Amino acid sequence: MLEIPEAQTIARQLRETVLGKTITRAVAAASPHSFAWYSGDPALYGAKLDGKTVTGTAAYGGRPELWAEEMRVSFGDGVNVRYFAPGEKRPAKHQLLLELGDESAVCCTVQMYGGLWAFSDGRNDDFYYNAAREKPSPLTDAFDAAYFAALLTDETRRLSAKAFLATEQRIPGLGNGVLQDILWRAKIHPKRKMSALSGAEFETLYHAVKDTLAEMAQKGGRDTEKDLFGKPGGYNTIMSRKNDGMPCPACGGVIKRMAYMGGNVYVCEGCQTL
């Protein structure tokens, strides 16, 4: 699933690859998918996008976005966004295809669920999208120690570390995937209550959020996810499905997978005591 590092990577790669190109044909919902979401009628995407020139890209939380003049195409976190060079065969099934003037294409498929929204700039009332646009990204200077501290309230002190970081859009784009290495670096168990953290531990957690996400983005995303060209990211995850049952690189303890809050978490109980 796309989170902050992958959204940043795909937005950058789109900018480097398709900026200035013209969308000659947009096709949405060619392969029906029960959990692919669109802005209005997908049959109208051609009318919205055909003939538009790609003028920029952006990333908001876990959503990369392509700008086609006044139109915006936003890709949700469950969408595979891929670039196909001129002459390269496209997948037979797709939920959004943008054919470009040089005969290249951007092709999107949905895994379990995902949004493929096309709308005029400023005309998206989706709560998650607007939260991601309005709140500062951990990759920016605006996400400073004071901002992070303000997230800790009487209500959020009762939450676990995982719930604090990865729910209610407190930090858009920080999800269960990037969460694992952040908490391991901070030496905080996902189930540990925020109220139990000392001031020093909370400061360590802040730096783990900033530093881990910055490294993941700089290296092109996590190795458990793929970029615009279908290649895994260059950041080698430590706490992920790839390392379940392997020794912790810090203490040698066994990395364990456990179910928590509707998903899996990966924990070294030697480093992350509860």
Side-chain angles (χ1 to χ4, degrees):
M1 304 293 280
L2 301 180
E3 296 186 29
I4 290 170
E6 292 76 39
Q8 289 285 331
T9 297
I10 289 172
R12 172 179 55 79
Q13 292 174 328
L14 283 169
R15 186 166 57 251
E16 294 169 348
T17 306
V18 303
L19 188 68
K21 296 182 181 181
T22 299
I23 299 171
T24 56
R25 188 172 73 107
V27 181
S31 303
H33 191 297
S34 299
F35 297 101
W37 304 310
Y38 300 91
S39 300
D41 186 352
L44 299 178
Y45 273 38
K48 292 180 178 180
L49 298 171
D50 288 0
K52 302 290 186 183
T53 299
V54 177
T55 52
T57 66
Y60 302 116
R63 296 185 183 185
E65 182 174 280
L66 183 147
W67 299 354
E69 299 179 23
E70 81 283 2
M71 296 301 297
R72 302 291 182 259
V73 183
S74 179
F75 308 105
D77 58 4
V79 176
N80 292 315
V81 188
R82 300 287 182 267
Y83 172 78
F84 291 85
E88 192 174 1
K89 186 177 180 181
R90 283 68 158 141
K93 295 183 178 181
H94 48 75
Q95 279 68 55
L96 179 64
L97 178 67
L98 303 177
E99 295 278 6
L100 302 171
D102 65 347
E103 299 186 356
S104 64
V106 174
C107 186
C108 303
T109 56
V110 173
Q111 295 177 314
M112 295 185 294
Y113 61 85
L116 297 151
W117 300 281
F119 52 91
S120 297
D121 186 25
R123 296 191 176 182
N124 188 333
D125 59 2
D126 178 71
F127 167 78
Y128 297 99
Y129 176 81
N130 289 314
R133 286 205 62 169
E134 292 164 4
K135 295 183 179 182
S137 166
L139 301 178
T140 66
D141 292 341
F143 192 100
D144 58 15
Y147 179 84
F148 190 66
L151 299 178
L152 191 62
T153 65
D154 289 342
E155 180 180 352
T156 60
R157 287 178 191 276
R158 297 194 290 267
L159 300 177
S160 68
K162 174 178 174 175
F164 174 74
L165 290 178
T167 64
E168 300 299 325
Q169 294 296 295
R170 268 177 289 277
I171 309 175
L174 195 165
N176 193 58
V178 300
L179 171 84
Q180 312 298 331
D181 277 19
I182 289 171
L183 290 179
W184 176 78
R185 289 187 178 198
K187 300 189 182 302
I188 295 172
H189 195 287
K191 295 183 179 181
R192 194 167 173 205
K193 296 296 184 183
M194 293 301 297
S195 59
L197 300 188
S198 68
E201 287 175 318
F202 187 76
E203 183 179 356
T204 297
L205 179 59
Y206 164 70
H207 289 293
V209 169
K210 294 280 288 186
D211 295 346
T212 305
L213 290 173
E215 183 178 346
M216 287 176 172
Q218 190 274 327
K219 291 182 176 178
R222 293 164 286 155
D223 60 354
T224 52
E225 304 297 329
K226 293 184 178 179
D227 67 8
L228 184 66
F229 306 102
K231 297 179 180 179
Y235 175 88
N236 295 319
T237 50
I238 298 166
M239 309 298 281
S240 72
R241 64 180 183 271
K242 297 183 69 173
N243 305 310
D244 184 21
M246 296 181 66
C248 168
C251 73
V254 177
I255 295 172
K256 296 181 180 179
R257 179 183 64 188
M258 61 182 71
Y260 181 53
M261 292 183 61
N264 290 320
V265 292
Y266 297 87
V267 177
C268 168
E269 293 179 337
C271 292
Q272 298 165 277
T273 57
L274 180 60

